[in-house]
């Protein structure tokens, strides 16, 4: 039997004739899940969009063939291509916040394509209700009349999935469908997607940068790099015995557990006791908004030279806790001690010595650097008001993060990984005693993540700072943490040495997180 | 939803009060003694004092304000110094001329500009798009009163199709009245098309980039449905806000158009009052226009959730 | 895009008109105010390139002096509005809290008046004059600037590099000057350009109504106003000043579009 989708020699070029996808060939059998894996710039999204004829303006298919269900669809007139979308090929998008129309009700968006295919109103509603129930929406009847902004990201992705699957497509293209979600929700949504497509006999093209998902959900995988296919094969085999250097580099970039470091002698750098952060409800004309307790009675200590990972889903309060320890968010109750001194109530100038001794590395390297300053000025800024400041120091710090010679660049001239290196240099130039790393690698590609994690580990070994590593990504945590602290709804539900928490999780939430976290089989050969 | 409407409506009240205070301060306190203005320099001290007393000018300022605002609330804007007529009926009479022109031109301009801007955005960087951008930028750059003069010269003076001077109310003769408002309406419509088309185009381009448009297309919907159902409401919301701003600017600057076409509208009333130092009329006009502007913006905000339900949540 | 046609054309137009305005301070072909009843309503000729008006004054000379007035008023007014607006917007956006609430409710009150109406109200009180116009229009447009500045300060505050600056122990004022103000420069340049155009338009409208710089000093607006009764006899009187205003506005609009493309490549407006 011929494959459902057969792409051969596909070339996608910009209007300036530069190829973004070059000579790509792949096939998907009926009911098969094929993962297309690659880092940013690999051309995976362009390939997917070309398949459904939705390339963004400025890109076009310049040669090659896309055969769907025995029919050539590259270069098909718009009207015919359109008739294939929906019941032929459906698509789920990455960003749940922008992929549903904010001005239309969920019901309106679910049923509009059904109406196109002559389904009666009553049946439209019935099928929409059934599908919403299937994707796990609590009150489907009410959901039909609701607007997208009333739902969380995970719920919106379920609704998106429902909207695509309602038309019973033969092929579903899922473009990084869970990248914007936290680990638990990601697993839920992907499990649902795989089950649902299996029930309908729908084939799936799963676009992802996360190799862990490949191992778990796909039968076969295609690895792409710089617009070309570098390797195709059975998903499990590809991960355990990669044939090309690039795939091997990707697999090796997956975080994995290092040998536990010898326990550090207890020398507390920062200690929190009963720390609580509540955000007062915003006052309105008639009502007082509900106050939210983001961090609730938390005890936490980080010792010199160790990395403590703070783990939890979105809304667990982990980010707020990290900010509160640095006094960037004011605690409502409790106590914070830094090197033995109580800093909970310090204000203004009193805080300056503490600020100088503690630093933070943010998640988003695109917004954490002032776009108007050069790298040198950014890294030198913490030295302001220091008597012994010198440009040598800046040069040495830049060398330590591997950015020698980047002094005169602006942030927009750097890649994501390079920006994160600048942010690390800025944080460490004054040799802080305590560093909060708030999801420092989750915005980066896998191979870059690996480099940044290695850099952080190396700098910590050299400089001995205490590090609080805030993350939802258990794989990265497993690689860097000495101890792990798990948060749920503002409270710490489990804490312990890394191996203990990963191998013998006690709390149900930790167990669920670990089960949802995609991990690789062991690499052989 | 109801909560949003109530909150938004109530929030207009302090603005109205502050606007009233600033109008009061600007035109009642700054210019000096109203009694002197009414009676002139030659008036005797006694007659000035008695007029001051009867006008309440001997009272403390806050009492003067509260008396004034209490009268304003029941529709008593005072009387014009020049002809002794009550101000509010005068304003309303003149406003009926202005309102017709302004509303008609905004309506016509929206009907042309929104589809035009959307099509230009949909065909971004095509010849159509470039033509639309060039045309709207040109229109945007023409001063309304000059465009009015040019139309007047062409259709009034040279072709003599339309009258050059004067005005006939719709109550007297609707057909003739129409000939007097065609040119002002066309002038304003053309100017507004310039602004609105650019806005509609920019808003549409922003929306077209979003995933939900790709999602709608991925479901197999036709381009027409995608544009009308998915793009239009979202792109119209920012355009609607601009329409509010334009209405305000039109009302504020309508005097120039009324001067060009010799229309007895609100703007002309205001400018004449400024020349005659007839402060009660100036005060009334400013308060009236600002209040209309606030109400228009309120109505637009109340309509906004219809296009973007997110604003009602906050 | 390296070659930015909008900016070059717009810059060229505004530059040329400013050049003419500068020239007018030292030289005009004829006296702009000398009345010569023998040469009234002369059509454009090799002597009077743009003709003469109802008092026999040379239109070209008056146009040049009008450019001087308009450009001068527009530049000073734009600076006044920007300085006032930035001071209010930065203070409100950075301090937030009650300062923000007080400043913004005052600001919103002024915004509740259409800009030109507010200027007319002020002129009614202070009387028409060159500095009166600058003051009235400057006050009328400052609230818009304040709004934009405050908006960009608030959105900048959410960016992580501002939090990073706090984490470094930098004071609020230092962060404001070092990180926030420089990042509002691009939107301010774009806004200043469009304000410049808006002021040219408002100033000529006010002059047209007789609320601007008083005669006999020529302005584009009052030249248009005095052309109104003579449309039939001397159409050139209405065409020339209007063309100047339109070219000036077109220049400012194109320059604004070009600067916006240049300073913010993602923007589409």
């Amino acid at each position: 039997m011929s494959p459902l989708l057969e792409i051969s020699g596909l070339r996608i070029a910009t209007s300036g004739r530069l190829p973004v996808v070059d000579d790509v060939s792949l096939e998907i059998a009926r009911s098969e899940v094929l993962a297309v894996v690659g880092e940013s710039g690999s051309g995976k999204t362009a390939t997917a969009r070309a398949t459904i004829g939705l390339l963004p303006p400025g890109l076009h298919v310049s040669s090659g063939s896309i055969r769907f269900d025995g029919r050539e669809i590259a270069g098909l007139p718009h009207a015919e291509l359109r008739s294939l979308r929906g019941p032929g090929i459906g698509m789920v998008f990455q960003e749940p916040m922008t992929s549903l129309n904010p001005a239309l009700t969920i019901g309106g968006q679910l049923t509009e394509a059904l109406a196109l295919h002559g389904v009666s109103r009553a049946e439209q509603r019935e099928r929409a209700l059934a599908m919403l129930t299937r994707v796990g929406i609590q009150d489907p009847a009410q959901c039909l009349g609701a607007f997208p902004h009333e739902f969380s990201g995970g719920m919106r992705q379920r609704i998106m999935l429902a909207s695509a699957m309602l038309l019973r497509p033969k092929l579903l293209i899922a473009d990084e469908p869970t990248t914007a979600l936290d680990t638990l929700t990601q697993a839920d949504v992907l499990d649902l997607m795989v089950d649902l497509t299996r029930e309908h006999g729908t084939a799936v093209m799963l676009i992802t940068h996360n190799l862990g998902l490949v191992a778990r959900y796909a039968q076969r995988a295609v690895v792409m790099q710089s617009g070309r296919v570098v390797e195709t094969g059975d998903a499990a085999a590809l991960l355990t015995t990669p044939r090309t250097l690039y795939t091997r580099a990707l697999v090796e970039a997956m975080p994995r557990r290092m040998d536990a470091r010898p326990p550090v002698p207890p020398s507390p750098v920062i200690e929190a006791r009963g720390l609580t952060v509540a955000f007062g409800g915003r006052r309105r004309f008639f009502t007082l908004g509900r106050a939210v307790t983001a961090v609730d009675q938390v005890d936490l200590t980080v010792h010199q030279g160790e990395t403590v990972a703070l783990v939890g889903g979105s809304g667990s309060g982990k980010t707020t806790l990290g900010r509160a320890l640095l006094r960037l968010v004011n605690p409502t109750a409790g106590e914070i001690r830094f090197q033995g001194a109580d800093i909970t109530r310090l204000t203004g100038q009193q805080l300056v010595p503490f600020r100088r001794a503690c630093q933070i590395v943010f998640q988003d390297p695109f917004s954490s650097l002032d776009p108007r300053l050069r790298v040198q000025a950014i890294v030198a800024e913490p030295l302001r008001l220091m008597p012994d400041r010198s440009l040598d120091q800046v040069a040495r710090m830049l060398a330590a993060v591997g950015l020698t010679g980047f002094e005169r660049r602006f942030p927009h001239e750097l890649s994501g990984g390079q920006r994160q290196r600048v942010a690390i240099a800025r944080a460490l130039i004054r040799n802080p005693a305590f560093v909060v790393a708030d999801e420092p690698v989750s915005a980066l590609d896998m191979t870059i993540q690996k480099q940044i994690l290695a850099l952080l580990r190396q700098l910590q070994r050299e400089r001995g700072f205490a590090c609080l590593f805030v993350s939802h990504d258990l794989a990265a945590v497993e690689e860097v943490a000495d101890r792990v602290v798990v948060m749920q709804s503002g409270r710490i539900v489990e804490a312990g040495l890394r191996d203990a928490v990963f191998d013998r999780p006690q709390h149900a939430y930790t167990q669920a997180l670990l089960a949802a976290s995609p991990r690789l089989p062991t690499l052989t050969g | 939803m109801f909560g949003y409407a109530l909150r938004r409506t109530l929030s207009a009240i302090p603005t109205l009060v502050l606007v009233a205070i600033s109008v009061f301060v600007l035109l009642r306190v700054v210019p000096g003694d109203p009694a002197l203005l009414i009676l002139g320099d030659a008036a005797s001290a006694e007659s000035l004092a008695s007029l001051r007393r009867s006008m309440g000018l001997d009272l403390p300022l806050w009492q003067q304000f509260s008396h004034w605002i209490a009268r304003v609330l029941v529709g008593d804007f005072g009387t014009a110094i020049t002809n002794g007529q009550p101000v509010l009926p005068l304003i309303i009479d003149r406003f009926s001329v202005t309102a017709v022109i302004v509303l008609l031109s905004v309506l016509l301009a929206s009907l042309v500009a929104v589809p035009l801007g959307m099509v230009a955005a949909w065909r971004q960087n095509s010849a159509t798009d470039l033509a639309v951008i060039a045309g709207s930028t040109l229109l945007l750059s023409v001063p309304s009163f000059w465009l009015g003069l040019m139309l007047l010269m062409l259709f009034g003076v040279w072709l003599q199709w339309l009258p050059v001077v004067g005005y006939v109310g719709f109550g007297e003769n609707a057909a003739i009245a129409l000939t007097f408002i065609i040119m002002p309406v066309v002038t304003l419509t053309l100017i507004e098309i310039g602004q609105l088309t650019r806005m509609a185009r920019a808003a549409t381009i922003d929306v077209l980039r979003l995933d939900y448009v790709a999602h709608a297309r991925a479901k197999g919907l036709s381009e027409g449905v995608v544009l009308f159902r998915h793009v239009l409401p979202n792109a119209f919301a920012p355009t609607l806000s601009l329409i509010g701003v334009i209405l305000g600017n039109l009302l504020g600057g309508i005097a120039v158009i009324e001067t060009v076409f010799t229309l007895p509208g609100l703007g002309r009333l205001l400018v004449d009052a400024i020349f005659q130092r007839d402060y009660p009329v100036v005060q009334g006009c400013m308060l009236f226009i600002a209040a209309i502007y606030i109400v228009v913006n309120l109505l637009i905000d109340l309509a906004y959730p219809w296009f973007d339900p997110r604003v009602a949540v906050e | 895009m390296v070659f930015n046609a909008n900016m070059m054309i717009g810059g060229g137009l505004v530059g040329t008109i400013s050049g003419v305005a500068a020239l007018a301070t030292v030289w005009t072909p004829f006296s702009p105010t000398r009345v010569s009843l023998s040469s009234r309503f002369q059509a454009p000729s090799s002597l009077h390139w743009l003709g003469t008006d109802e008092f026999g004054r040379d239109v070209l000379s008056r146009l040049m002096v009008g450019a001087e007035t308009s450009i001068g008023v527009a530049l000073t007014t734009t600076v006044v509005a920007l300085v006032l607006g930035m001071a209010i917007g930065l203070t409100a956006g950075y301090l937030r809290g009650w300062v923000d609430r007080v400043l913004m409710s005052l600001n919103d009150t002024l915004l509740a008046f259409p800009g030109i109406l507010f200027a007319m109200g002020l002129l009614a009180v202070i009387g028409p004059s060159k500095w009166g116009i600058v003051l009235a229009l400057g006050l009328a447009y400052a609230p818009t600037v304040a709004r934009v500045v405050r908006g960009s300060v608030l959105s900048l505050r959410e960016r992580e590099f501002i939090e990073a600056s706090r984490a470094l122990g930098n004071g609020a004022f230092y962060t404001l000057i070092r990180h926030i103000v420089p990042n509002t420069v691009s939107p301010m340049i774009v806004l200043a350009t469009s304000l410049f155009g808006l002021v040219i338009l408002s100033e000529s409208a006010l002059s047209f109504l007789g609320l601007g710089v008083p005669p006999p000093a020529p302005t584009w607006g009052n030249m248009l106003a005095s052309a109104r009764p003579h449309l039939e006899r001397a159409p050139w009187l209405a065409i020339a000043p209007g063309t100047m205003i339109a070219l000036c506005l077109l220049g400012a609009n194109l320059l604004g579009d070009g600067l916006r493309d240049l300073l913010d490549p993602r923007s589409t407006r």
Side-chain angles (χ1 to χ4, degrees):
Chain A
M1 196 163 95
S2 70
L4 177 66
L5 178 74
E6 188 177 9
I7 297 179
S8 54
L10 181 68
R11 193 180 158 97
I12 300 172
T14 62
S15 41
R17 324 274 324 149
L18 287 169
V20 277
V21 166
D22 199 359
D23 194 23
V24 161
S25 302
L26 59 85
E27 30 186 80
I28 303 180
R30 280 163 214 280
S31 314
E32 179 190 41
V33 179
L34 174 84
V36 180
V37 192
E39 300 190 301
S40 44
S42 63
K44 56 189 195 301
T45 295
T47 306
R49 292 245 173 175
T51 307
I52 194 169
L54 286 176
L55 280 173
L59 291 183
H60 66 278
V61 174
S62 61
S63 65
S65 124
I66 304 173
R67 292 184 73 79
F68 177 75
D69 216 1
R71 184 168 166 215
E72 178 60 46
I73 58 172
L76 211 58
H78 183 78
E80 287 182 56
L81 193 58
R82 193 162 64 72
S83 67
L84 270 180
R85 295 182 196 149
I89 309 176
M91 184 153 175
V92 176
F93 296 83
Q94 172 174 357
E95 193 41 72
M97 294 303 152
T98 58
S99 49
L100 290 170
N101 188 337
L104 291 180
T105 59
I106 303 290
Q109 300 187 58
L110 286 181
T111 54
E112 61 185 348
L114 287 176
L116 204 68
H117 296 96
V119 178
S120 74
R121 284 191 84 87
E123 199 191 332
Q124 284 170 29
R125 186 180 156 82
E126 195 180 308
R127 277 169 63 175
L129 284 174
M131 184 54 81
L132 285 176
T133 314
R134 177 64 189 85
V135 299
I137 298 291
Q138 299 290 334
D139 184 351
Q142 198 217 337
C143 174
L144 285 182
F147 287 97
H149 66 260
E150 297 170 43
F151 296 89
S152 68
M155 283 299 150
R156 290 193 208 187
Q157 283 310 64
R158 287 163 188 267
I159 292 167
M160 272 281 288
L161 190 60
S163 151
M165 290 308 293
L166 256 182
L167 300 165
R168 297 170 189 158
K170 292 179 182 143
L171 172 66
L172 182 71
I173 297 175
D175 185 4
E176 304 265 11
T178 56
T179 307
L181 307 176
D182 71 27
T183 312
L184 276 179
T185 322
Q186 165 169 302
D188 287 350
V189 170
L190 283 178
D191 287 343
L192 175 68
M193 186 178 88
V194 168
D195 289 349
L196 197 55
T197 48
R198 193 176 298 135
E199 285 164 26
H200 288 79
T202 300
V204 179
M205 183 197 273
L206 175 64
I207 312 294
T208 184
H209 69 281
N210 188 338
L211 278 181
L213 300 182
V214 176
R216 189 157 169 157
Y217 296 105
Q219 282 114 43
R220 286 195 316 120
V222 171
V223 179
M224 288 183 72
Q225 181 197 16
S226 314
R228 290 173 174 274
V229 171
V230 294
E231 190 164 346
T232 307
D234 176 76
L238 197 116
L239 293 171
T240 48
T241 51
R243 293 193 305 275
T244 60
L245 279 176
Y246 181 71
T247 313
R248 191 172 183 92
L250 270 188
V251 173
E252 281 174 353
M254 285 292 291
R256 51 179 43 80
R257 199 186 298 188
M258 306 279 170
D259 290 336
R261 293 189 286 195
V264 289
S267 125
V269 173
I270 196 138
E271 297 165 89
R273 292 283 164 272
L275 193 65
T276 300
V277 182
F279 294 115
R282 215 182 311 171
R283 212 159 10 131
R284 291 199 185 150
F285 270 101
F286 304 111
T287 52
L288 191 71
R290 200 160 42 92
V292 180
T293 307
V295 175
D296 195 1
Q297 298 281 331
V298 165
D299 296 342
L300 180 71
T301 305
V302 186
H303 297 281
Q304 190 184 344
E306 77 166 345
T307 297
V308 173
L310 187 56
V311 178
S314 54
S316 62
K318 57 184 193 304
T319 297
T320 310
L321 176 56
R323 298 278 205 279
L325 287 177
L326 294 179
R327 289 290 317 276
L328 289 171
V329 170
N330 282 329
T332 318
E335 182 190 75
I336 307 168
R337 291 188 162 271
F338 175 67
Q339 293 177 332
D342 187 351
I343 54 126
T344 325
R345 307 272 169 256
L346 297 187
T347 54
Q349 283 297 311
Q350 302 168 315
L351 260 177
V352 171
F354 169 69
R355 292 251 186 265
R356 293 205 175 140
C358 295
Q359 274 309 304
I360 180 165
V361 177
F362 294 95
Q363 167 176 5
D364 182 4
F366 288 88
S367 99
S368 67
L369 305 179
D370 186 337
R372 296 239 147 218
L373 295 184
R374 293 178 195 276
V375 167
Q376 190 170 46
I378 293 171
V379 177
E381 190 172 0
L383 300 177
R384 194 174 72 93
L385 307 179
M386 303 272 280
D388 57 337
R389 58 194 289 211
S390 74
L391 290 180
D392 277 4
Q393 234 176 316
V394 175
R396 278 201 304 277
M397 191 66 234
L398 281 175
V401 297
L403 288 181
T404 304
F406 280 70
E407 281 91 344
R408 306 297 297 161
R409 304 266 193 109
F410 280 107
H412 68 260
E413 298 168 322
L414 305 178
S415 70
Q418 289 169 339
R419 287 170 188 228
Q420 206 57 303
R421 285 168 189 266
V422 173
I424 290 171
R426 173 178 60 189
L428 296 187
I429 192 164
R430 233 162 29 192
N431 275 321
F434 174 53
V435 173
V436 172
D438 186 5
E439 307 261 12
V441 294
S442 49
L444 306 173
D445 273 330
M446 295 300 268
T447 48
I448 309 296
Q449 282 194 15
K450 172 103 179 160
Q451 295 164 9
I452 298 291
L453 289 178
L455 177 68
L456 271 177
R457 222 178 17 249
Q458 182 206 333
L459 290 168
Q460 189 181 30
R461 202 163 47 234
E462 293 165 6
R463 297 170 182 244
F465 54 84
C467 178
L468 183 72
F469 187 90
V470 181
S471 179
H472 73 277
D473 179 5
L474 285 173
V477 166
E478 189 171 8
E479 174 158 338
V480 300
D482 297 306
R483 287 192 294 131
V484 175
V485 172
V486 183
M487 269 186 97
Q488 183 191 18
S489 317
R491 288 172 178 273
I492 290 181
V493 294
E494 182 158 1
L497 289 174
R498 178 195 63 189
D499 291 353
V501 172
F502 273 81
D503 297 337
R504 295 174 300 279
Q506 303 297 312
H507 194 274
Y509 183 68
T510 315
Q511 290 161 359
L513 273 180
L514 279 170
S517 172
R519 284 197 274 175
L520 278 189
T522 327
L523 193 67
T524 58
Chain B
M1 194 67 139
F2 176 74
Y4 165 78
L6 192 65
R7 267 201 317 277
R8 181 61 190 83
T9 309
L10 287 178
S11 76
I13 293 173
T15 313
L16 276 169
V17 172
L18 283 169
V19 162
I21 294 178
S22 46
V23 168
F24 179 78
V25 170
L26 182 64
L27 292 156
R28 181 79 173 260
V29 179
V30 178
D33 189 346
L36 197 65
L37 273 170
I38 294 173
L39 297 178
D41 290 336
S44 68
E46 297 88 68
S47 55
L48 275 175
S50 85
L51 183 61
R52 282 204 192 101
R53 212 169 313 112
S54 70
M55 288 177 75
L57 293 174
D58 52 343
L59 297 171
L61 210 53
W62 68 268
Q63 278 191 19
Q64 288 188 40
F65 176 72
S66 60
H67 289 171
W68 174 73
I69 200 85
R71 285 201 302 274
V72 164
L73 282 178
V74 296
D76 177 6
F77 280 47
T79 52
I81 293 176
T82 38
N83 56 14
Q85 285 184 22
V87 172
L88 188 61
L90 200 61
I91 288 178
I92 289 174
D93 179 43
R94 299 296 198 91
F95 180 64
S96 63
V97 179
T98 305
V100 171
I101 296 167
V102 167
L103 288 177
L104 261 181
S105 62
V106 168
L107 186 70
L108 287 174
S110 310
L111 286 177
V112 177
V114 173
L116 205 59
M118 280 186 68
V119 167
W122 186 55
R123 288 265 168 264
Q124 198 185 353
N125 295 331
S126 68
T128 321
D129 183 30
L130 290 180
V132 170
I133 298 177
S136 53
T137 307
L138 276 177
L139 284 178
L140 194 68
S141 307
V142 177
S144 60
F145 45 101
W146 185 57
L147 181 63
L149 276 179
M150 293 297 108
L151 291 179
L152 202 61
M153 200 143 82
L154 181 61
F155 296 105
V157 176
W158 292 344
L159 299 173
Q160 305 207 336
W161 291 352
L162 294 163
V164 179
V165 175
Y167 178 73
V168 173
F170 276 88
E172 297 169 51
N173 185 328
I176 296 181
L178 199 62
T179 64
F180 280 99
I181 67 156
I182 285 180
M183 279 197 287
V185 168
V186 168
T187 307
L188 291 180
T189 306
L190 285 173
I191 303 285
E192 291 151 29
I193 284 177
Q195 295 184 42
L196 283 173
T197 307
R198 282 164 59 102
M199 180 50 135
R201 174 178 176 273
T204 308
I205 287 175
D206 285 348
V207 171
L208 280 173
R209 269 188 256 193
L210 295 176
D211 272 348
Y212 62 78
V213 175
H215 178 198
R217 286 180 176 148
K219 284 189 287 197
L221 302 180
S222 71
E223 280 300 293
V225 174
V226 170
L227 282 179
F228 268 95
R229 198 170 144 84
H230 289 274
V231 178
L232 180 61
N234 291 290
F236 189 66
T239 313
L240 187 68
S241 299
L242 182 68
I243 290 178
V245 173
I246 287 182
L247 270 172
N249 287 338
L250 276 184
L251 282 175
I254 193 69
V256 286
I257 285 296
E258 291 170 358
T259 304
V260 171
F261 296 105
T262 62
L263 298 172
L266 189 58
R268 220 32 257 184
L269 178 71
L270 171 64
V271 172
D272 291 341
I274 290 176
F275 285 134
Q276 293 156 348
R277 309 202 151 251
D278 193 341
Y279 290 118
V281 178
V282 178
Q283 199 172 22
C285 287
M286 285 192 68
L287 192 58
F288 186 81
I289 295 175
I292 295 270
Y293 187 35
I294 290 170
V295 170
V296 165
N297 277 313
L298 173 63
L299 291 177
I300 283 176
D301 281 1
L302 291 182
Y304 213 93
W306 200 59
F307 300 100
D308 187 350
R310 285 171 298 185
V311 300
V313 185
E314 193 196 355
Chain C
M1 199 164 70
V2 185
F3 173 73
N4 190 323
N6 279 347
M7 219 170 86
M8 300 198 33
I9 300 173
L13 278 172
V14 173
T16 311
I17 296 171
S18 306
V20 169
L23 180 64
T25 58
V26 291
W27 178 82
T28 52
F30 293 88
S31 159
T33 47
R34 202 191 61 212
V35 175
S36 162
L37 293 180
S38 59
S39 50
R40 298 170 71 216
F41 294 126
Q42 287 187 4
S45 66
S46 56
L47 183 61
H48 297 284
W49 289 6
L50 295 175
T52 60
D53 67 4
E54 72 273 27
F55 297 112
R57 297 173 297 196
D58 180 52
V59 173
L60 177 61
S61 303
R62 290 179 66 73
L63 218 53
M64 285 173 68
V65 177
E68 188 196 328
T69 315
S70 288
I71 300 281
V73 166
L75 279 180
T76 20
T77 308
T78 307
V79 170
V80 168
L82 277 182
V83 169
L84 265 177
M86 282 195 77
I88 300 171
L90 285 174
T91 316
Y94 201 75
L95 292 181
R96 298 200 282 194
W98 68 269
V99 179
D100 183 29
R101 279 197 294 278
V102 169
L103 283 177
M104 279 305 118
S105 45
L106 291 179
N107 202 61
D108 286 350
T109 309
L110 295 188
L111 278 177
F113 296 97
I116 193 153
L117 179 75
F118 185 75
M120 284 163 77
L122 271 178
L123 286 170
V125 178
I126 57 186
S129 73
K130 187 168 168 180
W131 291 108
I133 294 259
V134 170
L135 182 68
L137 289 177
L139 281 177
Y141 292 125
T144 314
V145 180
R147 251 284 133 107
V148 175
V149 174
R150 176 178 173 270
S152 51
V153 171
L154 287 185
S155 81
L156 282 170
R157 282 189 63 119
E158 300 300 313
R159 302 271 294 274
E160 283 174 339
F161 66 85
I162 299 301
E163 202 173 5
S165 175
R166 272 184 76 202
L168 291 173
N170 291 330
F173 188 70
Y174 178 84
T175 306
L176 181 71
I177 298 300
R178 173 80 167 165
H179 294 294
I180 292 190
V181 173
N183 277 292
T184 57
V185 167
S186 304
M188 278 308 102
I189 290 176
V190 176
L191 185 66
T193 318
S194 62
L195 263 186
F196 178 81
L198 205 56
V199 174
I200 293 270
L201 182 64
S202 310
E203 181 268 331
S204 56
L206 290 173
S207 290
F208 179 77
L209 292 173
L211 292 168
V213 181
T219 67
W220 297 338
N222 69 23
M223 288 170 76
L224 270 182
S226 49
R228 167 76 171 84
H230 312 294
L231 279 183
E232 196 163 2
R233 189 165 175 195
W236 62 86
L237 290 182
I239 293 173
T243 312
M244 288 302 282
I245 304 173
L247 285 178
C248 211
L249 282 180
L250 184 65
N253 286 332
L254 289 177
L255 191 61
D257 287 357
L259 284 170
R260 188 155 26 210
D261 291 346
L262 190 76
L263 297 173
D264 180 9
R266 287 172 311 152
S267 154
T268 51
R269 262 151 230 174

